[in-house]
Amino acid sequence: DERPQRAVYLEAFGIDQVEVTNERYMAFVKSIGHRTPPNPYGTGTLQSIEGIEQLPVVQTTWYDAKAYCSWVKKRLPTEAEWEFACRAGASTSFSTGNVPFSLNRSAWYVNSIAQSDRHTESPRSVGQKDANEFGLYDMHGNVAEWCQDWYAADYYNRSPRLDPAGPNSGIAKVFRGGSWNHDNPFARSGNRFMMSPSNGIH
């Protein structure tokens, strides 16, 4: 579903430097009374954030992510925008090159977490590894990120060259980036994931 490789052209856009933290997301939840996401660090919902404020929020559905973006007067990136931001000018498998372990300085994923630390099965605080050439953190690994687009396996065969925004409809939404519990091949810049927009990702 990553073929054919082709050039696309994007209008200028902005994107956050770091993933949305629990602290920022819970401010949104408390402001408008939005659904509280499940608590991956214990039981029940994510009510108390003491000690996990700077961890990226997880278990959010696409609808949750869209609502948060609206609250901060932004939007989810398109799949093409996300990949452009992740690649940061590189045409290699990763923004750091073609060698998977080149990611170690810039990404949290299974192989970059020390064996002695494997018991800590959770994301890491945002912005702790090196930024890419665009100054963006955690584009590979840590937690996966929702995109605006509906998913279609054959979309690259028919997408427009200017600002592709995904199919008009579908049953699954695109998410990108791999996560702390994925191996490094899943963190490739071009790797595509899809899931029902009603499911939470991590």
Side-chain angles (χ1 to χ4, degrees), residues 2 17 34 49 55 58 75 95 97 102 121 126-127 129 144 149 161 169 174 177 179 182 192:
E2 298 172 24
Q17 282 188 286
H34 190 81
I49 58 172
L55 295 181
V58 294
R75 63 169 173 81
S95 63
S102 66
E121 296 185 355
V126 300
K129 294 254 185 170
D149 310 30
R161 292 176 67 83
S169 61
V174 174
S179 71
H182 281 138
R192 305 176 72 203

Side-chain angles (χ1 to χ4, degrees), residues 73-110:
K73 297 179 171 53
K74 299 179 183 181
R75 63 169 173 81
L76 289 167
T78 66
E79 186 176 12
E81 288 170 340
W82 188 96
E83 186 168 327
F84 179 83
C86 179
R87 288 188 177 279
S91 59
T92 47
S93 294
F94 310 95
S95 63
T96 53
N98 283 316
V99 179
F101 290 105
S102 66
L103 277 179
N104 285 7
R105 292 183 58 185
S106 60
W108 293 113
Y109 61 97
V110 167

Side-chain angles (χ1 to χ4, degrees), residues 109-123:
Y109 61 97
V110 167
N111 304 104
S112 72
I113 300 172
Q115 190 67 40
S116 61
D117 199 29
R118 291 285 169 83
H119 67 280
T120 310
E121 296 185 355
S122 71

Side-chain angles (χ1 to χ4, degrees), residues 15-19 134-139:
I15 193 165
D16 286 3
Q17 282 188 286
V18 297
E19 294 161 325
F134 288 172
L136 307 175
Y137 295 88
D138 300 314
M139 297 299 290

Side-chain angles (χ1 to χ4, degrees), residues 159-196:
S159 65
R161 292 176 67 83
L162 178 63
D163 286 320
N168 292 328
S169 61
I171 59 172
K173 288 286 187 177
V174 174
F175 68 97
R176 291 291 204 111
S179 71
W180 59 271
N181 64 346
H182 281 138
D183 290 328
N184 45 30
F186 292 99
R188 287 182 301 102
S189 302
N191 198 49
R192 305 176 72 203
F193 298 92
M194 57 88 171
M195 187 178 288
S196 165

